Amino acid sequence: MSRSHSKHSLAHWCLLGLPLLLLAGCPAADGTAPKTPVLGLTLKEDHPSGTAIVPTNNDVLVEQVLRLINERRTRIGLNELTLNPVLTRVAEDYCVEMIEKGFFAHENPYTGEGPGERAYKADYVFVQVGENLAAGQETAEQVVSEWMASPEHREIILGIHWREIGIGVRLGGEYNVYWVLEFGNPP
């Protein structure tokens, strides 16, 4: 998968075993007005590219992403998603992996692991898992807006089977801000 600034996505479904629903987000589009910026954001030159940093307002960003996603889900009669600590750890760890290893993809090119393998290794029990990735967006509002503007990403966010979510945000790497959503459908 290219690390250029072009739009790209990948979607797969599998049930049982190692189920996956994958979508890659894209670096931020210009022109989106920031609302609540990621704090701790620095110029790429101000930190080593292979170092992942926790935003100083990480809890606020996670809460905002969850609220924005649940608002969109409840508008159309879907259940709200619950923040799951295991899925959140998987999402945060994957942000760090992408930053520290210098890639942006659903499958780690060094380990070959995808979201299903990562969830399984974290002892998350599931029927299905799904993942949205994004990079470069500087606010929770911007990243959720861009995911919702993409049919493939919106389809995952509005999936009727999801009950839980994990949200990761980290600073560093080529795109400066990395966002990972891990969706879960436990048995």
Side-chain angles (χ1 to χ4, degrees):
M1 183 171 289
S2 170
R3 288 192 288 163
S4 71
H5 286 37
S6 63
K7 295 276 186 195
H8 53 274
S9 66
L10 168 70
H12 295 287
W13 280 91
C14 298
L15 298 175
L16 303 172
L18 291 176
L20 308 173
L21 179 56
L22 310 174
L23 288 176
C26 306
D30 293 335
T32 304
K35 295 185 180 183
T36 308
V38 175
L39 296 180
L41 187 65
T42 59
L43 296 175
K44 291 179 204 173
E45 296 78 27
D46 292 341
H47 60 79
S49 62
T51 303
I53 301 166
V54 179
T56 56
N57 62 338
N58 187 69
D59 292 345
V60 171
L61 295 169
V62 169
E63 179 183 309
Q64 288 177 335
V65 169
L66 180 62
R67 178 183 50 80
L68 292 166
I69 286 172
N70 280 335
E71 284 175 0
R72 281 153 177 86
R73 290 178 61 82
T74 58
R75 278 185 212 157
I76 62 170
L78 296 174
N79 62 302
E80 288 190 355
L81 301 177
T82 303
L83 192 63
N84 178 284
V86 175
L87 288 176
T88 294
R89 188 179 76 243
V90 171
E92 291 170 343
D93 289 350
Y94 199 55
C95 284
V96 171
E97 280 183 54
M98 288 191 291
I99 290 167
E100 291 182 352
K101 299 289 186 185
F103 69 92
F104 181 75
H106 290 288
E107 185 176 291
N108 181 321
Y110 302 99
T111 65
E113 293 176 346
E117 290 91 356
R118 290 190 293 276
Y120 179 78
K121 285 177 92 173
D123 294 325
Y124 181 73
V125 179
F126 58 91
V127 176
Q128 288 180 300
V129 296
E131 181 175 84
N132 274 359
L133 305 177
Q137 297 80 1
E138 295 181 8
T139 68
E141 294 86 356
Q142 182 183 10
V143 73
V144 172
S145 176
E146 289 184 22
W147 277 325
M148 292 302 292
S150 160
E152 295 88 3
H153 294 90
R154 183 177 55 248
E155 181 180 346
I156 288 184
I157 290 171
L158 301 179
I160 62 172
H161 45 281
W162 305 130
R163 296 190 350 232
E164 300 176 331
I165 192 170
I167 302 167
V169 186
R170 290 296 182 267
L171 306 174
E174 180 178 350
Y175 300 117
N176 218 25
V177 184
Y178 288 67
W179 306 81
V180 175
L181 299 181
E182 300 291 352
F183 296 88
N185 179 11

